[in-house]
Amino acid sequence: MTPEQEKFLNDIAAELKTQPVFNDVEQLFFPLRFDKNRPTLYKHKDIAENLMRPEGSKLPLDFYSKSIGTTVQNIVSGMVGRLKTEHKKAISGLYEAEIRADGVDVDSLLNGKQGERGTWEVVYDWLWKHKYLRWLDENGWQILQEKAKSPPNWLQFLEMSALQAGTRAPSLRLPPPEIKPTIPANEELWMAIDLEFSNYQLLLLNRSKQGKLLLCPSLGYALNPIMEKSPFLLPQKDSFADKEKQKFIFEEVGNEEFLAIVLEQHLSLPWLTPREDEALPEWNAERMKELFEQLEQQGNWQVFYQSFEVVEKP
């Protein structure tokens, strides 16, 4: 699994610890059984006997496997819920409402016989097809931001006069590093990215009140994401903004965040190809998933982060 997938399972396990049926054995079994890369045909008993017991363990071979059916049912009950029976209390599933909202027939799961084959697979599919995407949408940006190692002023917004003067930095005095950089509202600005990564591919993401958008590559600002020299200026020639004689204009005050990912091996995902029907691609959960899977296979890539406060000019 990728580090992000492992973190996801750890976060789910931490939430499930609040459930009365999710105890130490369930916590040990859960990430092994719900591993994204472990085939569902891999038997519960084999996990219990070969993976739950540490190497050199003196525990009997069947220490976990003799009650593995109950362990599996406890995990499913903690997630989906359990109806009251003669011998067991009803349990409210931690994710029952979410699972129902995603179109899963929860009533069939609740009324199924204990140990019935297929119940846990339904939960497994829901976990990775639905819950993981929502988790990525909430956490993907922060995960990348935590990987960032950013030099000061690698990203700046230049007024036209500064760019025409041939400077690589604004003519205004730069703020000390401990003061958050600002962007003047309602001003036409160039974006300058000062990173020395010749022939690397640049993915530039923006997060604001409007959501998460891909600025480079995009039809809107940057048709060519390959960094040939520094500074890398946006909008690029022949982009939609260039044809419309537009620059960056921030109309609303507030926080604007930027993530840059530079890659030695270029990616060719469909949404990285600029196209007219999505001038500024939305960076949604499905695309985050694809990006993280690709990054896991990459050998040389780096992340840079910068936030700005958009303010009215005095």
Side-chain angles (χ1 to χ4, degrees):
M1 290 192 297
T2 67
E4 294 72 37
Q5 291 168 345
E6 292 178 3
K7 186 178 187 322
F8 167 65
L9 286 186
N10 289 337
D11 285 357
I12 296 298
E15 292 179 355
L16 285 172
K17 284 182 70 174
T18 62
Q19 294 292 82
V21 289
F22 198 83
N23 300 308
D24 291 345
V25 174
E26 285 75 21
Q27 187 170 2
L28 179 61
F29 180 75
F30 173 73
L32 298 172
R33 174 67 284 174
F34 286 82
D35 185 319
K36 182 70 169 64
N37 296 332
R38 181 159 291 116
T40 55
L41 293 178
Y42 199 97
K43 295 181 179 179
H44 302 325
K45 179 181 178 182
D46 291 337
I47 293 175
E49 294 181 352
N50 301 324
L51 300 179
M52 291 178 72
R53 295 166 65 253
E55 187 175 351
S57 173
K58 295 181 180 180
L59 294 172
L61 183 65
D62 66 349
F63 184 81
Y64 293 115
S65 63
K66 62 185 177 183
S67 60
I68 199 62
T70 299
T71 301
V72 175
Q73 188 60 40
N74 284 344
I75 292 173
V76 172
S77 296
M79 299 174 76
V80 179
R82 185 177 70 197
L83 299 177
K84 182 180 179 180
T85 66
E86 182 180 355
H87 302 290
K88 293 181 178 180
K89 296 180 180 179
I91 295 175
S92 178
L94 191 63
Y95 306 120
E96 179 183 350
E98 280 188 68
I99 296 173
R100 285 185 186 276
D102 289 323
V104 177
D105 186 355
V106 172
D107 293 328
S108 293
L109 299 181
L110 292 175
N111 289 303
K113 296 179 181 179
Q114 183 171 339
E116 182 178 346
R117 184 166 170 24
T119 302
W120 81 268
E121 286 99 331
V122 173
V123 177
Y124 174 95
D125 286 343
W126 169 83
L127 192 71
W128 288 109
K129 291 180 180 178
H130 298 281
K131 184 66 173 176
Y132 179 56
L133 292 184
R134 282 194 289 272
W135 180 90
L136 264 186
D137 194 40
E138 295 174 0
N139 296 276
W141 182 282
Q142 185 63 33
I143 290 171
L144 287 173
Q145 183 178 330
E146 291 173 357
K147 298 178 184 292
K149 297 180 180 179
S150 308
N153 306 313
W154 67 270
L155 174 63
Q156 298 180 56
F157 287 92
L158 312 181
E159 296 181 8
M160 296 293 294
S161 58
L163 191 66
Q164 290 167 354
T167 60
R168 287 181 56 172
S171 56
L172 300 175
R173 181 180 301 172
L174 293 174
E178 66 272 13
I179 298 177
K180 188 173 183 177
T182 60
I183 298 173
N186 299 305
E187 293 285 334
E188 286 198 340
L189 302 167
W190 289 87
M191 178 191 289
I193 299 170
D194 196 1
L195 296 172
E196 298 285 353
F197 287 90
S198 180
N199 203 39
Y200 275 56
Q201 183 185 34
L202 170 69
L203 308 185
L204 182 65
L205 302 157
N206 168 241
R207 181 169 72 169
S208 67
K209 297 175 184 177
Q210 286 69 44
K212 296 184 284 285
L213 300 174
L214 179 71
L215 303 183
C216 177
S218 72
L219 182 70
Y221 292 111
L223 300 175
N224 180 12
I226 309 305
M227 305 177 69
E228 297 177 355
K229 62 180 181 179
S230 186
F232 189 84
L233 297 177
L234 300 181
Q236 286 181 350
K237 182 176 173 55
D238 294 329
S239 65
F240 178 83
D242 175 65
K243 291 179 179 179
E244 295 296 316
K245 302 188 184 306
Q246 297 178 8
K247 301 296 181 287
F248 286 93
I249 300 178
F250 297 89
E251 297 177 343
E252 294 187 26
V253 297
N255 196 40
E256 294 279 347
E257 298 177 273
F258 298 88
L259 274 174
I261 306 172
V262 294
L263 307 103
E264 184 176 28
Q265 299 176 37
H266 303 169
L267 301 182
S268 58
L269 295 168
W271 50 277
L272 294 178
T273 300
R275 62 180 196 265
E276 292 185 2
D277 63 337
E278 198 175 15
L280 290 176
E282 178 190 4
W283 198 47
N284 55 35
E286 186 63 45
R287 289 170 176 177
M288 288 187 198
K289 174 177 174 288
E290 293 175 347
L291 178 60
F292 278 117
E293 290 173 349
Q294 291 293 315
L295 291 178
E296 184 65 17
Q297 303 173 29
Q298 293 274 341
N300 193 6
W301 58 279
Q302 294 187 46
V303 183
F304 302 89
Y305 171 81
Q306 182 64 62
S307 65
F308 296 87
E309 192 71 23
V310 179
V311 297
E312 296 286 357
K313 292 189 72 172

